[in-house]
Amino acid sequence: MKIAIIGGGPAGLYAAILLRKQRPAAEITVYERNRADDTFGFGVVFSDATLDNFEKYDSTSYRRITQEFAYWDDIAVHFRGTVHRVGGNGFCGCSRRRLLLILQERARELGVSLRFETEISDESRFADADLVVIADGINSRFREKHVAHFEPEVDVRSNMFAWMGSTRPLDAFTFIFQETEWGPFIAHAYQYEVGRSTWIFETDPGTFERAGLKGLNEKQSADRMAEIFGWFLEAHPLLTNRSMWRNFPMIRSKRWVKDNMVLLGDAKASAHFSIGSGTKLAMEDAIALAEAMEHAPTVGAALEQYERGRREEVEKTQHAADVSLVWFEHVDRFWDFDPVQFAFGVMTRSKAITYDNLALRAPDFVAEVDKAFARQVRAKGFDVDIEKPLAPMFQPMRLREMELSNRAVVSPMCMYSAKEGVPTDFHLVHYGSRAIGGAGLIFTEMTCVGRDARITPGCTGLWNDEQEIAWRRIVDFVHANSVAKICLQLGHAGRKGATRLMWDGMDRPLEEGGWDIVSASPIPYFPDSRMPREMDRTAMEAVKAAFVAAAGRGGRCGFDMLELHCAHGYLLASFISPLTNRRTDAYGGSLENRLRFPLEVFEAMRATWPAHKPMSVRISATDWAEGGITGDDAVAIARAFAEVGVDLVDVSTGQTVRDAQPVYGRMFQTPFSDQVRNEARVATMCVGNITTADQVNTILAAGRADLVALGRPHLIDPSFTLKAAAWYGAEGVFCPPQYLPGKEQIFRNSAHDRQDFEDLKMKAKPRTRAELKAEASKPLAAE
Ligand SMILES: Cc1cc2nc3c(=O)[nH]c(=O)nc-3n(C[C@H](O)[C@H](O)[C@H](O)COP(=O)(O)OP(=O)(O)OC[C@H]3O[C@@H](n4cnc5c(N)ncnc54)[C@H](O)[C@@H]3O)c2cc1C
Ligand SMILES: Cc1cc2nc3c(=O)[nH]c(=O)nc-3n(C[C@H](O)[C@H](O)[C@H](O)COP(=O)(O)O)c2cc1C
């Protein structure tokens, strides 16, 4: 077999090693345009888990690589004169140059032919090869040559970065967030061998300009960085090696294989340097390719297997890298945070590390995070314990005069079980049991302001006395039997009205018994949906009056809070999104115009609703669709509502148009809550695939939301909050007297369960290489 490999970086060399080990008779050649020891950059970093993988696939190169490594366990975050260190991270650094020399040596030993200073411009010279591996890096010439086939998507990020080195020793992966007269600079730094560390500097384009970095040569920009970070560098110089400032390109390719050619490493997909996974991905690609070549019957089948088997893992890492890079791009959002909360945000930015996870390996750090959170709550006038604070989820909160005993919320969820808009015994049991279950705040489902405002025939309403009486019974039950507060969500279905019950076909038009529907513009939801009538001024006044009347009824029912539903493509949302609003009057066009009617409705309700009670608005912070609402619009929308008195923005997303492309995942809407909260500076509630109390605490502690709503988890577990309280030892959580024996039991058992769980986790956790090395170098205790 004949294999040609274009590119002698980590991907190309490691692929050569593994393929040659597998096929000693194969003729394998690596073509590299540079000289053998002519490499850019300084160090690379691997996690312990990646090293375990290397050990399994080629123990010889693994041993040589790890002999040269610098190990560390801690991540240190320097911010505004403070340092927070978090242990248990298990990373190693090594020089990129050393890594490549080790891989070259190993490849040579195995009989791979290495051709340096050989630039390949045309792959047709490999017409007789069985396999052509394209590992030519991030600016891959061959990916671009076959751009129509590979269909790469290149997202050039806004921040500028430069990769430098230093002799400054470091004993932790170090993040330095540095305020300057021009704006914030960030250093990501780690040691990779004795007396050598990598320094990646990053800043936003505005700060880059203001700092005068544009046009400086390498030496001058290193001098500028040395001035900024001199206090930390302690007279150690900054070293350069092609250290020009650039923008990071996030690359994803639709296809990785063309005939017998396959893309590997950065050529096919890149991952932002802030999660240090580029070289790991490149070498693990080589492993995946070798695995596929070993097991598949033909080269074609192997390449197909490689792409199919590897894509998910790569995309997961890229997603984590995306989330991480966005955090760094928007670091100014958190600049006025308490330093410990800021450090917690750095640690948890890409979702892999959570509150519980940190509590296990850095309990002192999490204790500090809890204290900082409790201090903020105390500053708002609550008499909470700062020395032994409760977890963030169990900290109280106030909106106007409404006090919540904790921050877990039952998200609004339509039950499709009302009779002519009247909530039934089902609703009494449903809301009642969730209130008894411990959540601090319960939202009603979208309750419609008129018969024709309903989504389905099963939706609740609040336009007549019978409905008002039924709702009052529910509110009274909640107040009499729990400390939960209850918020009425009012809405109008708009173009999504006259549709079937969820279990008969969500958003599908009713076959019989439908009613006329209205919207901002006459655009049906599905092509075969009912055509909505464009609202004129008279219809708008009537709808506004219906909202005000329902709010009045809500007040009489005793609801504690009122939410206006402006999300998910319903009537008011259809005014806000440009995808559903094509009006040419004062209510269409600019965002300001599109917001005019929802704001009018909100203001009219606010005037009716008691001044001491809070109001929120639910928005779709993105339409997940081209030309639709984006996170930046959401910030403007939140600001506009805040100006007319909103107390909380309930940040959901999507459901505006059928062809949306949401990116689902754990806590997938939380970044929008984060953006709205920390840019518009309003309180937010986040929601969406948040399933554990650990996630709730992670979000709250990092300052990404003020309240956390859970929808589906509450459908199957009304006592979600009580159980979480038992886990975290939040004794003060409300429990009705009838259930106290159950509470005592679960609190007792949870304390043991938690201890057992933590012991098991600690036992199962392999020792990091840094720990093992530290132990090996300890002198033996005297007998
Ligand atoms: C600032 C920065 C910091 C980083 N930090 C880390 C880190 O800490 N940890 C980490 O794991 N990764 C890190 N990376 C990423 C890492 O450098 C890359 O992800 C990794 O090197 C990818 O390996 P590769 O083999 O795919 O590509 P490369 O290492 O880019 O290798 C491609 C090779 O192909 C050669 N080549 C290109 N075109 C041709 C041609 N036509 N003919 C012949 N040869 C050709 C090039 O000369 C090069 O040697 C960082 C990257 C940057 C930019
Ligand atoms: C059955 C069901 C009904 C829903 N009804 C409403 C509703 O009436 N009003 C609303 O704003 N959101 C509604 N939602 C959206 C939820 O409030 C929530 O935002 C969504 O389910 C995501 O959260 P989760 O992942 O915790 O379930 C509904 C969701 C479900 C699953």
Side-chain angles (χ1 to χ4, degrees):
M1 176 173 278
K2 195 165 172 181
I3 300 174
I5 299 180
I6 307 173
L13 289 170
Y14 206 48
I17 292 168
L18 300 183
L19 291 170
R20 176 76 185 186
K21 273 180 73 173
Q22 189 182 91
R23 291 176 158 76
E27 190 185 312
I28 302 180
T29 313
V30 177
Y31 300 88
E32 168 56 50
R33 66 180 171 199
N34 292 335
R35 288 184 306 238
D37 61 350
D38 178 21
T39 182
F40 70 93
F42 297 90
V44 297
V45 33
F46 297 123
S47 68
D48 272 351
T50 305
L51 289 175
D52 290 344
N53 223 1
F54 294 168
E55 184 171 21
K56 183 166 151 211
Y57 284 91
D58 184 45
S59 58
T60 311
S61 56
Y62 163 82
R63 267 198 312 280
R64 291 175 194 166
I65 292 169
T66 46
Q67 269 163 18
E68 308 279 339
F69 263 43
Y71 296 97
W72 66 89
D73 253 357
D74 288 2
I75 293 181
V77 179
H78 294 253
F79 178 59
R80 288 216 311 259
T82 64
V83 192
H84 290 98
R85 291 178 79 100
V86 177
N89 296 287
F91 279 107
C92 320
C94 107
S95 126
R96 177 176 155 99
R97 186 167 172 276
R98 258 326 278 153
L99 173 73
L100 291 180
L101 292 177
I102 289 169
L103 295 179
Q104 287 169 13
E105 182 190 31
R106 177 74 178 133
R108 253 189 234 105
E109 277 167 20
L110 289 164
V112 172
S113 157
L114 301 178
R115 306 259 180 88
F116 291 98
E117 297 177 74
T118 311
E119 173 134 12
I120 306 297
S121 51
D122 185 359
E123 73 280 18
S124 63
R125 64 186 277 184
F126 306 125
D128 60 340
D130 300 279
L131 171 64
V132 179
V133 176
I134 302 175
D136 56 349
I138 206 156
N139 298 316
S140 172
R141 168 194 294 222
F142 293 95
R143 181 189 67 223
E144 290 312 308
K145 183 170 175 187
H146 300 287
V147 68
H149 176 83
F150 293 121
E151 288 192 52
E153 185 193 301
V154 182
D155 175 12
V156 178
R157 303 306 308 187
S158 59
N159 269 8
M160 304 296 297
F161 77 93
W163 197 356
M164 300 188 190
S166 176
T167 51
R168 167 74 156 93
L170 295 167
D171 60 357
F173 193 110
T174 303
F175 290 111
I176 307 174
F177 296 87
Q178 184 68 42
E179 178 76 63
T180 69
E181 62 191 276
W182 308 290
F185 278 87
I186 306 164
H188 312 235
Y190 56 89
Q191 182 157 334
Y192 59 87
E193 62 186 27
V194 178
R196 281 282 185 280
S197 47
T198 292
W199 285 71
I200 304 166
F201 297 107
E202 179 178 6
T203 191
D204 63 88
T207 305
F208 181 79
E209 285 265 354
R210 287 188 292 277
L213 285 159
K214 205 172 172 182
L216 295 190
N217 65 27
E218 260 182 299
K219 163 87 177 64
Q220 290 165 325
S221 78
D223 289 347
R224 177 63 48 86
M225 288 301 106
E227 279 164 30
I228 296 174
F229 291 92
W231 64 272
F232 188 90
L233 287 163
E234 292 171 346
H236 286 275
L238 281 177
L239 315 169
T240 57
N241 178 359
R242 291 199 239 166
S243 305
M244 49 290 224
W245 288 87
R246 43 204 158 134
N247 301 84
F248 189 84
M250 239 357 239
I251 294 170
R252 295 178 156 80
S253 303
K254 193 159 180 194
R255 277 173 280 277
W256 299 354
V257 175
K258 181 176 189 307
D259 309 321
N260 66 342
M261 290 195 291
V262 58
L263 296 176
L264 239 63
D266 277 2
K268 66 164 205 330
S270 61
H272 190 247
F273 53 82
S274 62
I275 65 161
S277 291
T279 308
K280 159 201 152 84
L281 280 183
M283 291 174 69
E284 288 181 350
D285 282 353
I287 291 175
L289 176 66
E291 277 282 348
M293 288 287 287
E294 174 131 30
H295 297 112
T298 62
V299 170
L303 298 190
E304 204 231 297
Q305 188 179 316
Y306 156 74
E307 179 167 348
R308 195 165 15 88
R310 179 97 181 109
R311 194 172 269 283
E312 190 184 331
E313 184 60 32
V314 170
E315 287 180 354
K316 265 208 276 191
T317 307
Q318 283 194 296
H319 180 66
D322 275 357
V323 176
S324 173
L325 76 85
V326 168
W327 193 93
F328 284 102
E329 281 176 358
H330 296 288
V331 71
D332 54 331
R333 282 185 199 157
F334 316 107
W335 215 253
D336 60 358
F337 270 30
D338 181 295
V340 71
Q341 186 172 35
F342 182 93
F344 184 83
V346 177
M347 293 302 303
T348 57
R349 68 191 185 280
S350 69
K351 301 198 281 194
I353 296 177
T354 64
Y355 178 88
D356 280 2
N357 178 263
L358 283 172
L360 211 56
R361 53 200 174 104
D364 294 346
F365 174 64
V366 174
E368 283 304 308
V369 171
D370 285 348
K371 282 183 188 172
F373 199 91
R375 273 197 302 274
Q376 289 171 19
V377 174
R378 206 177 166 93
K380 296 257 159 76
F382 286 99
D383 184 21
V384 294
D385 190 342
I386 297 188
E387 283 317 304
K388 281 193 174 164
L390 293 172
M393 178 175 170
F394 297 99
Q395 292 289 349
M397 176 167 169
R398 186 183 298 112
L399 289 167
R400 298 211 180 196
E401 289 180 20
M402 181 185 80
E403 285 190 5
L404 302 176
S405 61
N406 64 62
R407 292 166 186 248
V409 178
V410 176
S411 201
M413 271 178 301
C414 217
M415 293 291 105
Y416 309 98
S417 303
K419 302 276 181 269
E420 279 299 317
V422 182
T424 63
D425 285 354
F426 177 86
H427 294 89
L428 177 69
V429 173
H430 171 68
Y431 292 113
S433 51
R434 274 139 196 89
I436 289 172
L441 178 62
I442 316 275
F443 274 71
T444 70
E445 61 203 89
M446 177 168 124
T447 296
C448 307
V449 296
R451 192 173 187 283
D452 288 357
R454 290 176 304 166
I455 312 168
T456 75
C459 289
T460 53
L462 193 43
W463 67 84
N464 66 31
D465 292 348
E466 196 186 346
Q467 294 156 352
E468 189 179 317
I469 291 165
W471 275 120
R472 190 181 312 144
R473 181 169 169 242
I474 293 168
V475 173
D476 285 348
F477 179 91
V478 169
H479 287 160
N481 294 283
S482 78
V483 295
K485 298 291 188 273
I486 180 161
C487 175
L488 168 67
Q489 186 188 59
L490 286 179
H492 186 304
R495 72 182 191 133
K496 289 169 104 177
T499 54
R500 300 178 208 171
L501 306 185
M502 176 183 69
W503 44 85
D504 290 335
M506 184 93 162
D507 298 327
R508 299 294 306 150
L510 282 170
E511 278 164 355
E512 281 172 22
W515 51 86
D516 285 344
I517 57 174
V518 291
S519 190
S521 298
I523 311 167
Y525 189 63
F526 284 112
D528 63 343
S529 293
R530 219 168 245 271
M531 176 63 85
R533 183 169 45 83
E534 177 170 310
M535 290 179 88
D536 58 17
R537 202 47 238 172
T538 314
M540 286 158 75
E541 283 302 329
V543 163
K544 185 162 73 179
F547 269 102
V548 171
R553 288 182 183 277
R556 289 199 292 278
C557 291
F559 281 104
D560 303 292
M561 179 174 167
L562 183 60
E563 174 159 288
L564 180 62
H565 199 327
C566 291
H568 302 167
Y570 297 118
L571 181 68
L572 298 176
S574 76
F575 273 84
I576 299 175
S577 171
L579 301 175
T580 47
N581 182 341
R582 307 253 169 85
R583 299 176 74 100
T584 51
D585 61 4
Y587 296 92
S590 65
L591 178 61
E592 191 188 350
N593 281 359
R594 286 181 274 124
L595 270 169
R596 198 181 302 278
F597 183 51
L599 290 172
E600 275 177 19
V601 173
F602 184 90
E603 285 188 87
M605 287 165 73
R606 187 64 265 184
T608 303
W609 188 245
H612 66 283
K613 292 189 180 186
M615 274 184 71
S616 61
V617 59
R618 180 166 259 207
I619 61 168
S620 284
T622 172
D623 289 331
W624 298 111
E626 188 92 28
I629 294 291
T630 62
D632 288 344
D633 295 326
V635 173
I637 294 167
R639 284 198 176 113
F641 275 102
E643 272 173 28
V644 295
V646 92
D647 303 294
L648 178 91
V649 179
D650 171 0
V651 185
S652 185
T653 67
Q655 302 178 49
T656 318
V657 288
R658 288 306 307 160
D659 52 0
Q661 302 279 323
V663 182
Y664 292 117
R666 278 172 296 155
M667 308 183 267
F668 73 110
Q669 297 174 156
T670 304
F672 297 97
S673 162
D674 185 345
Q675 182 174 6
V676 169
R677 180 180 192 267
N678 297 311
E679 286 188 18
R681 305 279 156 172
V682 295
T684 61
M685 177 168 88
C686 70
V687 64
N689 220 4
I690 299 161
T691 53
T692 64
D694 177 24
Q695 290 169 351
V696 174
N697 279 316
T698 307
I699 292 166
L700 293 171
R704 311 184 82 193
D706 299 274
L707 292 175
V708 179
L710 300 96
R712 288 164 296 172
H714 273 120
L715 288 182
I716 42 91
D717 189 358
S719 302
F720 178 90
T721 304
L722 247 169
K723 287 183 184 162
W727 186 258
Y728 289 103
E731 287 279 354
V733 72
F734 172 81
C735 176
Q738 297 90 329
Y739 295 172
L740 279 176
K743 181 187 170 195
E744 280 159 23
Q745 183 185 48
I746 194 173
F747 268 72
R748 207 171 39 246
N749 289 350
S750 287
H752 297 306
D753 291 350
R754 185 165 179 171
Q755 192 58 54
D756 289 352
F757 175 77
E758 290 182 358
D759 289 350
L760 259 178
K761 273 215 136 169
M762 290 312 277
K763 261 190 218 139
K765 183 179 169 291
R767 313 281 282 284
T768 66
R769 284 172 171 77
E771 282 165 349
L772 292 172
K773 193 171 175 188
E775 248 161 51
S777 59
K778 257 193 220 150
L780 286 178
E783 296 273 323

